[in-house]
Amino acid sequence: MREMKRFGLLVLLLSLVLLVAACSEEENKTEISFFADFPTTVSEQVESIVVEGIEGSTAEDFSIQFYPMYHEKIYAELAGKYGDIYIIRQGAIEGILDPVSFVPLDDVVPPDSLSDEFTEPDPDTGEERTYVVPIENESRLLRELGVTLDTPLAAFIPGFSDSQEESVELLKYLTETK
């Protein structure tokens, strides 16, 4: 009986170690969530473009998800604190933009070069900041995919992201125009 308890305890401990290892491995990935009507056939191309954008990275460093454009899904992902970069239809940003919850993206696109739909005053300083960046048809991402969209995209980084610096660098790369 005593051996059975030890065996059970050993199995439990081993299971916990494996669970923790699996969870920590997933946390190291930069998660990119697309909420747009992209064909699923572009997922490998997107992965390749993303890997090119961060020097020394591999496909295993990223998790790329494609979802249909539903506000409810975006809100659920944000509430669950999933994802590092959200790419959505530009028209949908109006009800989502939140300077308290988003990472400033002034390094990607300066606020004075954007329309008001992408900028908000910083809650602490009152200074105008960029919180959302447009992804137009001329951007590296869409050019290299060979995709022309009727509705442009926009990207933001939520404040809970564990990969903020890498995400900012990646957005710089993806939004570059010729």
Side-chain angles (χ1 to χ4, degrees):
M1 185 64 139
R2 183 174 246 185
E3 288 180 31
M4 192 66 140
K5 285 183 181 180
R6 286 184 185 171
F7 179 73
L9 183 60
L10 179 64
V11 169
L12 178 65
L13 288 174
L14 185 59
S15 298
L16 285 173
V17 167
L18 290 174
L19 178 66
V20 169
C23 289
S24 64
E25 184 177 312
E26 185 67 27
E27 289 177 13
N28 293 333
K29 290 186 175 195
T30 299
E31 298 176 25
I32 305 165
S33 300
F34 285 84
F35 295 90
D37 301 323
F38 267 117
T40 55
T41 56
V42 301
S43 63
E44 287 182 16
Q45 286 177 277
V46 169
E47 186 176 272
S48 174
I49 295 167
V50 165
V51 169
E52 288 174 19
I54 301 294
E55 189 175 322
S57 68
T58 66
E60 289 77 37
D61 296 328
F62 300 97
S63 172
I64 302 171
Q65 304 295 323
F66 292 88
Y67 303 104
M69 180 57 216
Y70 293 118
H71 283 92
E72 295 82 4
K73 179 64 176 168
I74 297 170
Y75 295 138
E77 292 293 305
L78 286 169
K81 296 188 177 184
Y82 300 115
D84 297 298
I85 298 175
Y86 284 66
I87 299 175
I88 67 173
R89 276 190 275 171
Q90 218 172 81
I93 201 64
E94 188 175 318
I96 298 174
L97 179 58
D98 180 9
V100 174
S101 302
F102 288 6
V103 173
L105 299 173
D106 301 340
D107 291 344
V108 179
V109 181
D112 57 357
S113 66
L114 291 173
S115 65
D116 289 343
E117 67 184 316
F118 302 109
T119 63
E120 286 284 322
D122 182 291
D124 296 326
T125 66
E127 175 187 359
E128 200 69 17
R129 305 287 304 265
T130 301
Y131 292 98
V132 179
V133 294
I135 300 179
E136 307 282 347
N137 286 324
E138 301 80 30
S139 70
R140 177 186 302 269
L141 174 65
L142 297 179
R143 266 194 343 265
E144 290 191 16
L145 286 175
V147 173
T148 302
L149 299 176
D150 295 332
T151 306
L153 301 174
F156 63 90
I157 301 170
F160 56 75
S161 169
D162 291 330
S163 303
Q164 291 181 13
E165 288 179 28
E166 185 175 69
S167 296
V168 167
E169 290 304 311
L170 186 56
L171 281 180
K172 284 181 190 177
Y173 180 78
L174 296 177
T175 59
E176 281 179 357
T177 57
K178 289 184 179 180

